[in-house]
Amino acid sequence: MSLLELQGVEKHFGAVQALRGVTFAVEPGEVVGLVGDNGAGKSTLMKTITGVHALNGGSIRFDGQFLSGKDTGEIRRLGIEMIYQDLALARLQDVASNIFLGREPTKRLFGLPIRMIDRERIEREAAAMIKKLGARVPSVRYPVGQLSGGQQQSVAIARALTFNPKLVIMDEPTAALAVREVQSVLDLIRRLKSEGIAVILISHRLNDVLSVTDRIVVLRHGRADADLVTANTNMNEVVSRIVGGGDQSAAAAHEQRG
């Protein structure tokens, strides 16, 4: 049984049909690229998987359980984590505080029935998570707003891993990063895979997708237009699928933009 199974997923907003019978699966420890032009339905699909949007048709099953009717919190507890493009980090707080934001461990104060945040434990466990990822962060006490884009992405991934996810969905994690930082993020994705954690990578940077994924699903006009084995495909085929087949001039233009 696949970790994540989508069968005929439909979603509409009034008269606008955003998803049209999307079907694909993700295996445990597999990295799947999700690509497509703007408006192809990538964001809508991910929000449907994570419970932000309700299904209008079809089914989504994760780890043997159907997700229909479950809210975002329930789906998160099942093991699906989403890292949005804006990362949703508290820039004025330090690395450790961001990793445990909203879920801070507490301890009793002098044996009284009063609990306070266990700062020592937060810093210790945050440092262990950063070390496990092999991320390059100066200190867990360093303000997140002073970190580079790649380092902030590392903090967002570390925060996701504290939930012990089985699937991490990453939305444009390498957008606007310098070349060296892009490689660091791709290495983090490989690290997740080595830990048996599945990843869905949404990206317009096709070179990144081709370098780190096992499969590539192409969304076009709300449909899963192709499901390609990365080792058996190439840039030209992926671009051609995104733009709709034989339009070579459009494919070339898209490749230059990417």
Side-chain angles (χ1 to χ4, degrees):
M1 180 184 295
S2 299
L3 177 66
L4 177 71
E5 296 177 276
L6 287 79
Q7 287 289 336
V9 171
E10 304 268 349
K11 181 62 188 175
H12 60 77
F13 300 96
V16 178
Q17 190 76 23
L19 299 174
R20 304 167 183 266
V22 175
T23 297
F24 72 90
V26 179
E27 305 301 323
E30 187 177 36
V31 180
V32 176
L34 186 66
V35 301
D37 255 334
N38 293 332
K42 301 185 299 296
S43 294
T44 299
L45 181 59
M46 293 306 101
K47 288 179 180 178
T48 303
I49 292 172
T50 55
V52 176
H53 296 325
L55 287 173
N56 294 126
S59 66
I60 302 174
R61 187 162 59 178
F62 180 75
D63 204 19
Q65 295 193 45
F66 288 102
L67 299 187
S68 182
K70 297 186 185 302
D71 62 31
T72 55
E74 291 176 294
I75 291 173
R76 196 176 200 181
R77 286 189 289 275
L78 286 175
I80 298 178
E81 275 294 312
M82 176 93 189
I83 302 175
Y84 292 94
Q85 188 172 355
D86 65 4
L87 303 181
L89 296 173
R91 294 173 58 83
L92 296 180
Q93 295 198 41
D94 63 22
V95 170
S97 296
N98 270 274
I99 289 175
F100 285 94
L101 193 64
R103 299 172 294 111
E104 295 86 354
T106 60
K107 62 181 179 181
R108 288 188 179 276
L109 183 63
F110 305 121
L112 300 173
I114 300 172
R115 304 192 71 87
M116 61 180 293
I117 291 174
D118 190 343
R119 181 67 193 182
E120 182 180 347
R121 180 182 167 189
I122 287 173
E123 292 187 0
R124 183 177 65 251
E125 294 188 5
M129 184 63 70
I130 291 293
K131 183 179 180 180
K132 180 180 179 181
L133 282 174
R136 300 180 182 90
V137 175
S139 165
V140 294
R141 296 180 177 179
Y142 208 79
V144 162
Q146 295 181 26
L147 297 175
S148 68
Q151 290 170 328
Q152 290 186 29
Q153 188 70 236
S154 299
V155 174
I157 293 172
R159 182 176 61 189
L161 292 187
T162 62
F163 287 95
N164 296 314
K166 299 171 184 174
L167 169 66
V168 176
I169 303 169
M170 305 180 73
D171 186 9
E172 299 287 355
T174 58
L177 296 185
V179 174
R180 187 182 65 169
E181 294 208 303
V182 167
Q183 192 55 54
S184 295
V185 172
L186 296 181
D187 287 343
L188 288 175
I189 293 172
R190 295 186 182 100
R191 184 69 62 89
L192 297 182
K193 176 181 173 65
S194 72
E195 296 281 336
I197 299 170
V199 177
I200 295 178
L201 172 62
I202 305 168
S203 181
H204 283 94
R205 297 179 59 131
L206 299 185
N207 283 322
D208 298 344
V209 174
L210 286 162
S211 73
V212 79
T213 60
D214 300 299
R215 291 183 14 254
I216 301 171
V217 174
V218 180
L219 282 189
R220 177 172 163 78
H221 301 318
R223 294 186 174 92
D225 197 56
D227 191 337
L228 308 169
V229 176
T230 306
N232 298 334
T233 191
N234 55 48
M235 177 74 78
N236 287 338
E237 182 181 14
V238 175
V239 172
S240 180
R241 292 286 195 161
I242 289 172
V243 301
D247 188 343
Q248 296 302 315
S249 61
H254 186 285
E255 189 168 350
Q256 288 176 358
R257 289 202 310 270

